[in-house]
Amino acid sequence: MSDSNLLTVQQHILREQLRFSGASGEFSFLLSGITLATKIIQAQVRRAGLVDVLGEHGEVNVQGEIQQKLDVIANEAIVQALTSRASVGVLASEENEEAMIVHKGDKEAKYAVVFDPLDGSSNIDVNVSVGTTFSILRRPDDASLDSPEAWVLQPGSEQVAAGYVVYGSSTILVYSVGHGVHGFTLDPAIGAYVLSHPNMTMPDRGKYYSVNEANTDSFPEKYNRYLAGLRNGQYGHKYSSRYIGSMVADFHRTLLKGGVFLYPPTEDNAEGKLRLLYEANPVAFLAEQAGGVATDGKNRMLDVNPTSIHQRVPLVVGSKAEMADFAALEE
Ligand code: AHM
Ligand code: MG
């Protein structure tokens, strides 16, 4: 067995923590809270179909409620796991309107965690991959516990760590603390995430583009020119398309195979649909760490200054070559 077969995410995090000066173990304890919560979430996601079956034959009123339940369960799993970590001062979730203060007044609390507990949850009832995304920020020097928003309204370039878990044909956790991107597959037999994708790098060019093409009529014209170019071979070959409708799963494929994923502005969502803090930023951080590029269609995503927690942003993320082709287009 090679070393990588034996390395659990916990061991890996401990090793990565040594890169932080004055590392005390609290950062790895924080990350272990996230890995624990995602194991709880994946156990629930894996049972979602069974609950459906019982519901059809029994007295339980299913569908909408179950999905809602899973969103809430996922949110609670992360909140609970992170609330027991003293180093966490603020939590912000897609499921909660406001940022939450935890460990009020605790001087040890120096991190904020922003997350989407169950991204793409409308895909659950058709057995399609969903995911969890997270972003970790350090408490700004001047931020007090009275203003939790200030902890999280930082550009993505300030992220200390970011990652996601995709609950797909297997459960995979991908994370970075700013020194490369590493992927771990959950081994259900032992209940541990085991290193399966060390030092992930995005291919320089891929075969696929990924976008909701039903919205093309309302994309800014530049996006349609780009998509046409991808289809007609203008960029070296004729691209094929893949679109799952779960950002985490679509990004995971793009990370492994290269290509480009886009969620442009549309008529319904003039600022794009995806959320800057807990969807676009973690993905942008990982993309850059893996040698890719992420923008809001114009500027580097990680430089965007957030003004509100649930702010939306257009997202274009992918391999170097596709992103250069897009950037070369005139407005
Ligand atoms: P959600 O956070 O409400 O689940 O929505 C986000 C999801 C992303 O995972 C995905 O990329 C996008 O919505 C798909 O949107 P659309 O159905 O408009 O293509
Ligand atoms: Mg989401």
Side-chain angles (χ1 to χ4, degrees):
M1 249 190 208
S2 73
D3 175 52
S4 66
N5 287 333
L6 298 169
L7 202 64
T8 66
V9 71
Q10 218 44 54
Q11 293 165 316
H12 195 269
I13 291 168
L14 281 170
R15 215 169 64 178
E16 289 292 286
Q17 181 178 260
L18 298 177
R19 298 178 188 277
F20 290 75
S21 59
S24 60
E26 61 186 11
F27 185 73
S28 64
F29 191 46
L30 188 171
L31 275 171
S32 76
I34 295 177
T35 60
L36 172 64
T38 61
K39 285 185 206 172
I40 294 169
I41 296 168
Q42 79 88 32
Q44 295 295 332
V45 167
R46 300 284 175 226
R47 291 187 63 241
L50 290 172
V51 181
D52 264 350
V53 171
L54 288 177
E56 274 171 29
H57 294 285
E59 57 281 5
V60 189
N61 179 12
V62 273
Q63 288 314 333
E65 283 178 25
I66 280 173
Q67 256 174 280
Q68 205 195 5
K69 245 193 188 165
L70 274 171
D71 279 324
V72 173
I73 288 169
N75 195 40
E76 279 173 2
I78 298 181
V79 171
Q80 272 182 22
L82 291 181
T83 303
S84 63
R85 269 52 178 172
S87 64
V88 178
V90 170
L91 293 173
S93 162
E94 170 164 337
E95 294 294 319
N96 301 101
E97 207 173 322
E98 312 269 342
M100 291 167 265
I101 298 173
V102 293
H103 305 124
K104 207 171 188 170
D106 188 336
K107 292 198 182 68
E108 297 300 309
K110 60 177 176 222
Y111 294 109
V113 185
V114 193
F115 55 94
D116 182 354
L118 204 58
D119 185 54
S121 53
S122 65
N123 273 324
I124 281 194
D125 57 349
V126 288
N127 211 6
V128 170
S129 302
V130 290
T132 296
T133 54
F134 62 90
S135 161
I136 303 176
L137 296 149
R138 213 183 296 272
R139 167 192 195 159
D141 287 343
D142 51 353
S144 78
L145 282 166
D146 301 330
S147 56
E149 287 223 334
W151 291 48
V152 297
L153 296 182
Q154 304 187 55
S157 54
E158 295 297 320
Q159 291 172 104
V160 179
Y164 63 79
V165 174
V166 54
Y167 311 103
S169 46
S170 58
T171 297
I172 295 190
L173 177 138
V174 174
Y175 90 109
S176 175
V177 295
H179 295 274
V181 179
H182 309 284
F184 301 78
T185 302
L186 184 66
D187 182 340
I190 58 172
Y193 284 108
V194 178
L195 183 63
S196 52
H197 298 71
N199 299 311
M200 299 169 85
T201 52
M202 222 186 256
D204 285 344
R205 191 182 280 284
K207 289 195 298 195
Y208 305 120
Y209 71 86
S210 184
V211 71
N212 186 341
E213 302 213 72
N215 295 328
T216 46
D217 287 350
S218 65
F219 289 164
E221 191 269 332
K222 173 176 145 176
Y223 286 87
N224 285 330
R225 234 183 308 138
Y226 180 54
L227 296 174
L230 291 169
R231 281 190 297 265
N232 69 23
Q234 185 184 332
Y235 300 124
H237 64 87
K238 292 186 176 181
Y239 281 71
S240 187
S241 83
R242 294 282 187 278
Y243 190 68
I244 295 166
S246 279
M247 183 199 68
V248 173
D250 279 315
F251 175 72
H252 187 63
R253 181 197 54 251
T254 307
L255 178 61
L256 291 171
K257 303 286 184 191
V260 59
F261 169 82
L262 312 96
Y263 207 110
T266 64
E267 200 177 321
D268 289 344
N269 292 297
E271 301 302 320
K273 179 183 179 192
L274 301 175
R275 317 294 185 126
L276 172 60
L277 289 184
Y278 42 80
E279 290 173 338
N281 272 346
V283 153
F285 187 79
L286 294 167
E288 286 197 4
Q289 283 294 318
V293 177
T295 73
D296 65 356
K298 293 187 174 114
N299 302 309
R300 182 184 180 221
M301 186 64 74
L302 297 183
D303 289 336
V304 175
N305 270 310
T307 52
S308 68
I309 291 180
H310 301 289
Q311 176 174 342
R312 294 178 195 270
V313 72
L315 172 64
V316 186
V317 58
S319 297
K320 255 188 203 141
E322 281 85 352
M323 294 302 291
D325 296 336
F326 182 76
L329 290 169
E330 292 190 0
E331 287 298 319

